[in-house]
Amino acid sequence: MEKNSVITVKNLSKFFGEVKAVNSINFQLRPGEVFGLLGPNGAGKTTTIKLLLGLLEPLEGEMRIFGLDPEKDDINIKQRVGYVAEEPLIFKSLTPRDLFKFIASIRGMDDMVASKRGYEYLESLEALPYYHKLIATLSHGNKQKVQIIAAIIHEPELLILDEPLSGLDAKSVKVVKEIIKMHTQDGGSVLFSTHIMEIAEELCDRIAILNKGKIVGIGTIDELRHQADKVGAGLEDVFLRLTEQDASVDEIVKKLRASYKNGRR
Amino acid sequence: MGEKKSKPISVVKVSNRELFLDSQLMTAGASQSRILEKYEKNPDSLKTQATFAKVIYGILIGILTIMPLITYLQFLQYLNAGVIPVEVLIFTGSLLFGIFFAMQLGYMIMGGMLFSAALMTGETFRWLETMPLTQEDLQKMSFKLVIRSVNAVLIAIVFMFPIVFLFAGINIPVFLLSIGITLIEAIFYVSVLVFIGQKLSGVLMDASTQTRKKTAVRLLYMASYMVLIFGLMIVLQIAIASVDELFITFASSENPTLINILLSLIPYPFAPAYFVLLCTVPTQAPIELWLTSSLGLALFGLITWRLYKRALRALKNVTSAEGEVAAEKEIPIEEIQVEISTTTPFKAYLKKDLLTATRDFTMLMYLIMPIIYPIIMFAATSSGIGFFDSLSEEIGYFIVWLLMYTPMMSGFLTAGLLNVEESGATILASLPIIHRDQAKAKIFLMVLIMTISFVPPLIIYLQHPEFLTFLTVVLSVYPLIWSMVLTMFVMKVRLFGKMKYKYILEELHIEHKIAKWIFMVLVQIGILVGIYFLSFWILQFGVIALVLAYLPIGISALIGLYIAINKMFPKIK
Ligand SMILES: Nc1ncnc2c1ncn2[C@@H]1O[C@H](COP(=O)(O)OP(=O)(O)OP(=O)(O)O)[C@@H](O)[C@H]1O
Ligand SMILES: [Mg+2]
């Protein structure tokens, strides 16, 4: 296992019955790096992330976070990781206030520090007005904001974000992007999955493209272009080529055009 | 436009399933994806479960119909014998019918209350609003959703009573007439259900969760609902036990003409009761009773109609997004202070669970039921105080009643306290949780509630001359009771939360869920039966022997459980 990598994954697999959700993947995340997981729906991004956090048990393969095994050392790992899950299940009958108190208590944080950071993040994401509202009554985007704050309030070394920007408004997307950038400037690392190509292009140092549980392309954007034989192309084209969807997209567009015309007449 | 007509109904089906799936997912948490996978493989499995619950309630209400059947048969018997005056018979019969109708309402509310409350929060309608449906469609749909949630019960209510009557020998016209009456009642019940749901969800969704006072008020408010409903049950249960006696008891009473007239004017539940009964003996019934009960029935119809209208209006507010969460004053941003005070993990878990209990009705039910149930059971059955030949016989009786509901209560507590975690699954997944702390907090609450729940029965025995003996018995049986709830807890975690290197409190292995629960309850019942046998055998040697036996058994069980739990949740540096 490489010494100076934050995450190391070797031949990791996880099947759900017939479904090969993650099929023998390998990658590494180095300190200070933003690593993107891209892939169509059902590619295995979320499964990979859950395996890394010890929430699922792998079929085979090896993983290390900070040199620790997520299956055995999940508590130590989680002390140093901030995780934003795909779906904000964050205790709907609490308010953000109750929730942050709970989280800070479990993490054993200092009151002053927690309050200060809590205030700053709430303010910068414009979530202060919701501080005393029941989480059940918040909109999806606001729940997502609360979840993001909950994940970064202890200033973790590694952020693992599963589609962190889903449901956020333009301004909050910008703020979260800033948070990610600042986090890496301080030496932190980020692993995140997304469907938004522009964001991946803008933020990621390296990207792994997953398709049907396998990594079909990995590296910097330039390296990916080479792998896809698409020098000079945008990430979207590279992505579609690597996931072998470019042909089918053309076909779908053609069909759509045809039926659209028919419908008009 | 033509095809749009059919839409609301098919959408009702979808959203009905949505509501049920939602409730399933809420209790699934980290293993949501597993449930979804299962749902994909077998979409009908969820439906089957929902239907099962409904049918059970329907059957319960159907069984209730035994009461008017017995009543009617007795009524006919005395009528033919001609000893008791007709008016007295009509009085007793109608009284019992009325009680039966009231019981139906009670059971109906108990069965449909939660679903109705969930519906009235309006969350289901948020996505429906995005569909091309008019407000009116939505309103109708929501009413249909309520009806769907209790449809088996409604069928039982509308048809069981008339059909049973038909078998008891009434003619077809009376049969049809009674269907008409039960139909009005069904509409009445559904409307009442909507109002109760509205009240509950109003309390639940009240966003001003700031002060402790409000929380207390809310708790009290909810508790009073429970007491009201269960109180009703007690009264009715006592009534049903004495159907035969009532006829005889009232036989010697004076001519009840006036009471009959007054009662039959009361729109619900007595007017319909009188009317139905009069129909079965049209010629023998006094003319003035015909008049008053018709009047009462008409009034009942009118009230039902207005209630129905108002229920529709209440649903309208629910289906439009602006309806609720409005009247809440905004705190200016400058005044919001962020003070995050921390405590120990143990206290943090406790606090979170208690907060949830004050705001989540399902959770509250899980915690309050174990306390309320023994009160009710004892209130309903303790009429036997002082009727025993010997003290040890009475103690035996006391123990049977005291412990009877422990399996159910430990089930409620375990399920409730472990399920709260599911609504925060992603937060829990991200936190460095020491499961030992988490388990400690849960165990503390379980044991506390179990302990409290055995106090009310004791209060009932305060008046007993041998109170101290009863107190000693309860005190000595506590370790056994704690062991039972802890056994439940251990079984639940072992069956549902076993991982390679540890145990977690969330449900990971949700396969064979029902079988596992049945197994767990059976084990509890097994333990209970064991305790019963032991108690009766030892009671021969006196109460002191019993206490001396309970204590060591209970304490050694506790020690065993402590070791087991300690192993499952080891100390972590
Ligand atoms: N608990 C589960 N049980 C069964 N199958 C699962 C489970 N979780 C995931 N899968 C399957 O594994 C595959 C990968 O799912 P995963 O959630 O990792 O995809 P994803 O890349 O995150 O997709 P999306 O972009 O839609 O979030 C899918 O085919 C999914 O259906
Ligand atoms: Mg995903």
Side-chain angles (χ1 to χ4, degrees):
Chain A
M1 294 264 149
E2 274 72 3
K3 261 252 161 79
N4 63 341
S5 67
V6 178
I7 300 179
T8 313
V9 169
K10 271 193 188 152
N11 299 327
L12 185 67
S13 296
K14 172 74 186 179
F15 299 170
F16 294 106
E18 298 282 279
V19 181
K20 296 179 175 169
V22 171
N23 194 355
S24 190
I25 61 169
N26 293 283
F27 69 89
Q28 267 184 48
L29 190 147
R30 303 173 193 129
E33 192 174 50
V34 179
F35 190 90
L37 280 180
L38 263 58
N41 292 133
K45 304 179 293 290
T46 301
T47 308
T48 307
I49 287 173
K50 285 190 173 167
L51 285 166
L52 286 172
L53 286 160
L55 302 175
L56 289 174
E57 294 176 331
L59 181 68
E60 57 186 16
E62 253 188 280
M63 347 166 238
R64 289 288 178 272
I65 298 188
F66 307 122
L68 302 169
D69 182 352
E71 277 196 88
K72 290 179 190 151
D73 269 324
D74 62 324
I75 294 178
N76 287 326
I77 290 173
K78 283 175 187 169
Q79 283 286 11
R80 300 160 67 182
V81 170
Y83 168 48
V84 171
E86 200 169 25
E87 213 183 326
L89 282 176
I90 51 177
F91 290 117
K92 57 189 170 66
S93 13
L94 300 185
T95 63
R97 174 170 170 266
D98 307 328
L99 180 70
F100 294 153
K101 279 187 176 181
F102 175 69
I103 289 171
S105 303
I106 300 293
R107 289 198 178 275
M109 292 179 69
D110 179 68
D111 287 16
M112 294 288 288
V113 176
S115 307
K116 188 168 157 285
R117 285 186 198 153
Y119 183 80
E120 284 165 7
Y121 288 133
L122 281 164
E123 197 186 21
S124 57
L125 286 174
E126 298 195 322
L128 265 183
Y130 312 108
Y131 189 53
H132 291 298
K133 306 243 155 107
L134 274 190
I135 286 171
T137 65
L138 299 189
S139 73
H140 178 74
N142 285 329
K143 275 185 202 150
Q144 189 71 0
K145 287 180 193 173
V146 172
Q147 200 196 179
I148 289 173
I149 298 172
I152 57 179
I153 196 164
H154 60 297
E155 304 209 322
E157 295 161 54
L158 167 65
L159 284 177
I160 297 184
L161 314 171
D162 200 350
E163 292 178 37
L165 303 175
S166 81
L168 294 190
D169 54 28
K171 193 171 168 197
S172 306
V173 166
K174 185 124 181 61
V175 174
V176 173
K177 282 199 297 200
E178 281 312 311
I179 290 176
I180 291 178
K181 282 180 191 161
M182 275 165 6
H183 178 73
T184 51
Q185 275 159 18
D186 294 346
S189 329
V190 182
L191 171 76
F192 82 101
S193 79
T194 183
H195 287 294
I196 312 169
M197 295 300 149
E198 292 80 26
I199 304 256
E201 241 174 324
E202 182 188 340
L203 290 177
C204 295
D205 301 312
R206 291 195 310 134
I207 291 172
I209 295 181
L210 277 167
N211 192 24
K212 295 175 187 157
K214 281 195 173 296
I215 291 185
V216 293
I218 187 167
T220 61
I221 297 193
D222 264 339
E223 286 165 1
L224 286 173
R225 286 189 184 117
H226 276 289
Q227 288 166 28
D229 264 339
K230 285 229 169 191
V231 180
L235 183 57
E236 187 172 68
D237 286 334
V238 172
F239 175 83
L240 290 176
R241 165 65 61 85
L242 284 173
T243 52
E244 295 167 346
Q245 294 182 95
D246 42 356
S248 66
V249 167
D250 286 346
E251 222 166 85
I252 291 168
V253 170
K254 236 184 249 163
K255 270 189 201 156
L256 271 178
R257 285 240 164 83
S259 64
Y260 202 61
K261 263 187 205 148
N262 288 341
R264 283 269 166 97
R265 241 186 283 133
Chain B
M1 269 291 139
E3 66 172 57
K4 225 177 150 186
K5 279 273 163 215
S6 65
K7 222 175 213 162
I9 292 159
S10 53
V11 178
V12 165
K13 268 188 198 155
V14 175
S15 41
N16 191 49
R17 193 166 308 175
E18 176 98 346
L19 259 182
F20 193 74
L21 189 62
D22 262 2
S23 66
Q24 286 281 303
L25 286 180
M26 271 191 291
T27 58
S31 40
Q32 284 199 332
S33 36
R34 278 161 198 261
I35 287 206
L36 284 175
E37 183 204 6
K38 198 172 144 203
Y39 178 63
E40 232 144 66
K41 273 194 202 138
N42 183 11
D44 288 337
S45 67
L46 287 180
K47 224 171 95 190
T48 321
Q49 281 180 40
T51 315
F52 187 68
K54 279 195 295 196
V55 168
I56 291 277
Y57 255 104
I59 291 175
L60 269 184
I61 290 212
I63 290 175
L64 260 191
T65 319
I66 291 175
M67 176 180 170
L69 179 65
I70 295 173
T71 307
Y72 185 60
L73 293 178
Q74 295 276 0
F75 174 80
L76 282 186
Q77 193 185 329
Y78 286 118
L79 193 74
N80 290 336
V83 200
I84 304 174
V86 182
E87 291 209 12
V88 175
L89 286 181
I90 288 178
F91 166 73
T92 319
S94 306
L95 188 72
L96 287 167
F97 276 13
I99 290 173
F100 163 72
F101 289 144
M103 276 174 96
Q104 273 192 334
L105 179 62
Y107 276 84
M108 169 105 182
I109 289 171
M110 276 173 65
M113 187 170 53
L114 269 184
F115 187 95
S116 170
L119 184 79
M120 296 302 284
T121 62
E123 277 176 64
T124 326
F125 295 101
R126 296 296 91 91
W127 72 274
L128 285 178
E129 276 166 20
T130 62
M131 312 202 69
L133 298 169
T134 63
Q135 198 60 44
E136 215 162 275
D137 283 341
L138 277 176
Q139 212 174 312
K140 270 188 213 137
M141 274 174 44
S142 47
F143 206 76
K144 280 182 192 138
L145 262 175
V146 178
I147 290 179
R148 268 187 87 95
S149 71
V150 286
N151 52 8
V153 180
L154 284 182
I155 290 172
I157 285 176
V158 174
F159 292 108
M160 273 307 276
F161 179 73
I163 288 175
V164 161
F165 252 46
L166 197 60
F167 282 117
I170 54 159
N171 52 20
I172 298 292
V174 178
F175 168 70
L176 292 178
L177 219 116
S178 54
I179 284 191
I181 289 174
T182 50
L183 204 65
I184 300 176
E185 278 170 351
I187 297 172
F188 175 75
Y189 297 155
V190 171
S191 307
V192 171
L193 200 58
V194 168
F195 284 120
I196 290 188
Q198 190 191 24
K199 278 270 169 342
L200 275 179
S201 71
V203 175
L204 287 174
M205 296 303 284
D206 183 3
S208 46
T209 47
Q210 279 260 44
T211 55
R212 257 176 221 192
K213 212 173 177 184
K214 273 187 184 157
T215 305
V217 169
R218 223 173 20 230
L219 259 175
L220 224 99
Y221 194 35
M222 284 159 126
S224 69
Y225 264 100
M226 310 282 310
V227 171
L228 215 133
I229 291 161
F230 286 108
L232 188 74
M233 298 293 101
I234 302 174
V235 174
L236 299 178
Q237 233 133 29
I238 293 171
I240 203 174
S242 38
V243 168
D244 332 329
E245 291 166 28
L246 267 179
F247 276 101
I248 317 257
T249 315
F250 287 125
S252 55
S253 59
E254 288 160 43
N255 203 347
T257 314
L258 191 65
I259 295 183
N260 269 343
I261 286 175
L262 288 179
L263 270 188
S264 62
L265 273 172
I266 298 175
Y268 181 85
F270 295 113
Y274 269 93
F275 195 80
V276 170
L277 199 65
L278 291 186
C279 287
T280 63
V281 283
T283 48
Q284 281 151 290
I287 197 85
E288 71 271 10
L289 264 188
W290 271 112
L291 259 171
T292 51
S293 65
S294 311
L295 196 68
L297 190 65
L299 226 63
F300 179 53
L302 201 73
I303 290 172
T304 304
W305 174 245
R306 298 208 43 185
L307 263 184
Y308 170 74
K309 281 280 165 201
R310 283 188 50 189
L312 275 187
R313 222 177 307 142
L315 284 169
K316 188 172 161 191
N317 291 338
V318 170
T319 53
S320 64
E322 321 100 59
E324 12 88 55
V325 204
E328 184 199 345
K329 57 178 187 301
E330 291 286 328
I331 311 170
I333 292 188
E334 306 83 55
E335 282 175 31
I336 295 177
Q337 289 188 346
V338 178
E339 273 171 46
I340 301 177
S341 52
T342 57
T343 49
T344 62
F346 173 74
K347 277 189 200 153
Y349 284 116
L350 271 187
K351 213 164 170 190
K352 170 183 73 68
D353 288 349
L354 291 176
L355 272 177
T356 307
T358 64
R359 293 173 195 163
D360 181 331
F361 186 69
T362 330
M363 168 76 176
L364 186 79
M365 287 278 280
Y366 278 129
L367 297 190
I368 278 195
M369 279 292 271
I371 299 179
I372 289 189
Y373 222 84
I375 304 182
I376 292 162
M377 291 331 292
F378 257 87
T381 54
S382 67
S383 48
I385 293 184
F387 284 96
F388 291 92
D389 297 337
S390 68
L391 182 64
S392 64
E393 192 182 313
E394 190 168 3
I395 295 264
Y397 174 88
F398 176 73
I399 288 168
V400 168
W401 279 108
L402 191 68
L403 299 188
M404 179 167 274
Y405 296 94
T406 342
M408 197 193 82
M409 277 151 53
S410 41
F412 266 112
L413 282 175
T414 310
L417 281 169
L418 295 190
N419 278 349
V420 246
E421 305 299 53
E422 313 291 1
S423 91
T426 64
I427 286 295
L428 293 176
S430 72
L431 288 176
I433 283 179
I434 296 173
H435 296 286
R436 189 182 172 86
D437 292 335
Q438 199 185 8
K440 244 198 241 166
K442 304 287 175 201
I443 289 174
F444 174 79
L445 271 182
M446 277 182 207
V447 168
L448 181 75
I449 293 175
M450 268 305 206
T451 310
I452 295 175
S453 73
F454 285 87
V455 174
L458 264 182
I459 294 174
I460 294 171
Y461 277 81
L462 260 179
Q463 45 170 330
H464 198 285
E466 293 282 347
F467 172 72
L468 278 183
T469 316
F470 285 93
L471 180 68
T472 321
V473 169
V474 169
L475 288 181
S476 65
V477 88
Y478 266 137
L480 278 174
I481 293 160
W482 296 330
S483 308
M484 279 180 80
V485 69
L486 290 182
T487 310
M488 196 73 171
F489 173 77
V490 168
M491 284 193 292
K492 168 94 187 337
V493 174
R494 285 196 167 249
L495 288 176
F496 288 96
K498 191 176 161 70
M499 285 185 90
K500 212 177 193 173
Y501 296 104
K502 62 180 177 206
Y503 289 95
I504 58 170
L505 299 193
E506 286 101 326
E507 292 190 1
L508 197 65
H509 309 289
I510 55 162
E511 58 277 357
H512 313 304
K513 196 168 178 171
I514 292 178
K516 284 175 184 174
W517 272 103
I518 290 177
F519 168 77
M520 281 159 32
V521 172
L522 281 181
V523 170
Q524 292 277 308
I525 293 175
I527 298 176
L528 182 69
V529 171
I531 296 178
Y532 280 169
F533 271 112
L534 187 86
S535 309
F536 278 101
W537 181 64
I538 296 178
L539 260 179
Q540 306 169 28
F541 310 108
V543 180
I544 295 171
L546 190 69
V547 172
L548 286 180
Y550 275 164
L551 277 177
I553 298 175
I555 289 170
S556 35
L558 278 183
I559 292 173
L561 282 161
Y562 176 80
I563 293 170
I565 293 172
N566 222 13
K567 240 189 199 157
M568 287 163 68
F569 303 105
K571 266 193 192 126
I572 294 174
K573 281 278 121 33

